[in-house]
């Protein structure tokens, strides 16, 4: 896509011009943080939105510190601005997907190839009675099936082709029920 701002490292941005890009809902908080830095002389980190000249919104992480002269007087503020827009959108999508998975009635689990459990969803917690933190790292083969051979038989094609199906009599519930 077409950029509407300077390339990284291309232009020094003046504080006043950067403040003009602040999203109106974040402007008060960002300006107050800026003024507080001038008052205290301390570093800060802040995340807020900006509106670029083309009207697009970006989420940025700003890290800033002051530069002092030989007498200790603040002569300028220096910092970095990192664009976090895609990262924040990806995080939001992952949170939405996790909510949808947790609404599913099917138990979904993630296991390493050696059969140790890495995590499972809330449906699996409801079905088996174990939380991910209680069951994570435990081998599913040795404790979950009355007879592990059918699970092993389904696991082999999965390792070879990437898919496998099977029906298993499961024993493993926290309360001991099948």
């Amino acid at each position: 896509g077409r950029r509407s701002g300077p390339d990284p490292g291309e232009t020094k941005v003046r504080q006043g011009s950067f403040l003009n890009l602040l999203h109106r809902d974040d402007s008060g908080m960002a300006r107050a943080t800026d003024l507080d830095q001038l008052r205290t002389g301390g570093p800060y980190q802040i995340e807020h939105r900006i509106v670029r000249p083309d009207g697009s919104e970006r989420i940025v992480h700003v890290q800033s510190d002051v530069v002092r002269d030989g007498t200790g007087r603040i002569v300028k503020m220096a910092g970095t601005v990192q664009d976090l827009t895609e990262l924040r959108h990806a995080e939001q999508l992952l949170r939405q997907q996790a909510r949808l998975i947790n609404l599913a009635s099917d138990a979904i689990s993630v296991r390493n190839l050696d059969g140790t459990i890495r995590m499972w969803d809330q449906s699996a917690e409801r079905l088996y009675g174990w939380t991910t933190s209680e069951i994570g790292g435990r081998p599913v083969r040795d404790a979950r099936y009355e007879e592990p051979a059918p699970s092993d038989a389904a696991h082999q094609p999965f390792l070879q082709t990437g898919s496998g199906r099977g029906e298993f009599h499961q024993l493993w519930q926290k309360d001991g029920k099948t």
Side-chain angles (χ1 to χ4, degrees), residues 7-28:
D7 288 329
E10 181 180 296
T11 304
K12 289 185 179 181
V13 178
R14 300 267 182 242
Q15 188 67 6
S17 61
F18 182 74
L19 291 174
N20 289 336
L21 297 175
L22 292 172
H23 187 282
R24 69 172 180 244
D25 294 341
D26 297 348
S27 178

Side-chain angles (χ1 to χ4, degrees), residues 23-132:
H23 187 282
R24 69 172 180 244
D25 294 341
D26 297 348
S27 178
M29 173 259 307
R31 288 177 190 273
T33 302
D34 229 34
L35 290 172
D36 191 52
Q37 182 181 41
L38 287 173
R39 186 177 51 75
T40 65
Y44 76 83
Q45 295 183 48
I46 190 171
E47 192 172 304
H48 60 77
R49 292 168 291 171
I50 61 169
V51 180
R52 293 180 7 171
D54 67 359
S56 64
E57 287 185 19
R58 306 302 291 177
I59 302 167
V60 296
H61 176 264
V62 179
Q63 189 166 330
S64 178
D65 205 347
V66 297
V67 177
R68 299 176 186 274
D69 65 12
T71 67
R73 186 176 59 94
I74 296 174
V75 292
K76 67 179 175 178
M77 297 165 65
T80 59
V81 178
Q82 181 182 12
D83 187 344
L84 300 180
T85 308
E86 278 74 27
L87 176 64
R88 292 298 177 253
H89 289 167
E91 289 170 347
Q92 181 181 13
L93 180 60
L94 285 173
R95 282 191 300 276
Q96 290 170 342
Q97 290 171 342
R99 279 195 297 273
L100 289 174
I101 287 171
N102 283 328
L103 292 174
S105 58
D106 296 332
I108 299 170
S109 66
V110 176
R111 292 181 266 168
N112 293 330
L113 292 178
D114 68 0
T116 56
I117 297 170
R118 293 184 60 195
M119 63 76 64
W120 58 19
D121 70 347
Q122 289 177 356
S123 293
E125 289 182 4
R126 286 190 296 273
L127 178 64
Y128 298 111
W130 300 89
T131 65
T132 297

Side-chain angles (χ1 to χ4, degrees), residues 144-177:
R144 192 159 162 197
Y145 304 111
E146 181 177 305
E147 174 53 48
S151 172
D152 292 346
H155 194 63
Q156 284 307 317
F158 175 77
L159 290 174
Q160 295 167 354
T161 66
S163 67
R165 299 180 70 93
E167 187 171 314
F168 318 112
H169 188 101
Q170 298 182 331
L171 291 176
W172 201 10
Q173 277 192 305
K174 191 173 183 178
D175 63 9
K177 295 179 184 175

